[in-house]
Amino acid sequence: VLKPGGRIFAAFINRYAGFRDCASRYPSDLNESLAAYERIWTEGINVAAGGGFTDAYFADPDEVIPLVESEGFHALVLINCEGIAAGHEENLNALTGEAWECWLNWNYRFAKDAHLVGAADHLLVVAEKI
């Protein structure tokens, strides 16, 4: 229950996240589990198998705003949670002071760029109750 004008923060797993995870941790799984990855791509449905990730729905980035708006919210922003630095954090996390702040600011700016939303593993929508 949310009063009009109240804000929600809703997180989504991006449809591409499973493919990015596969590429970085177990690349041969794509070929070995082709049907499962095809289902993720076409339907967004992930079925847990062999101790893997839980059963889940992975959202297409283009679905997120229409979904929240169909439920009586006005979407304020859709953010790429990982940002431009995803997968390259080791060197950045070693930075301090102004160098860290500079990367933090750029990463936040890029997080709102619609062109990069599809590259995120996780999406966050901030919406206001109408």
Side-chain angles (χ1 to χ4, degrees):
V1 176
L2 191 64
K3 294 179 184 178
R7 293 190 175 170
I8 62 163
F9 296 76
F12 296 81
I13 298 174
N14 191 343
R15 179 130 340 151
Y16 304 103
F19 292 89
R20 289 174 42 83
D21 187 51
C22 178
S24 70
R25 297 182 3 180
Y26 34 83
S28 64
D29 194 51
L30 181 64
N31 185 53
E32 295 167 4
S33 304
L34 200 52
Y37 284 96
E38 183 68 31
R39 188 168 186 198
I40 291 170
W41 171 246
T42 59
E43 301 174 43
I45 297 173
N46 181 71
V47 177
F53 191 71
T54 188
D55 291 352
Y57 179 77
F58 296 164
D60 184 301
D62 290 337
E63 295 175 317
V64 175
I65 290 176
L67 173 66
V68 297
E69 291 187 344
S70 74
E71 295 300 320
F73 293 91
H74 169 67
L76 301 173
V77 67
L78 178 62
I79 297 174
N80 164 344
C81 292
E82 284 76 26
I84 196 76
H88 307 286
E89 297 92 346
E90 187 175 340
N91 290 332
L92 298 178
N93 287 337
L95 297 173
T96 59
E98 288 182 23
W100 166 255
E101 291 292 328
C102 184
W103 271 104
L104 178 68
N105 291 332
W106 276 103
N107 202 46
Y108 180 69
R109 288 171 67 183
F110 289 138
K112 297 181 284 183
D113 187 322
H115 296 97
L116 299 176
V117 168
D121 290 342
H122 304 91
L123 305 172
L124 179 70
V125 66
V126 180
E128 190 171 84
K129 179 76 172 174
I130 298 174

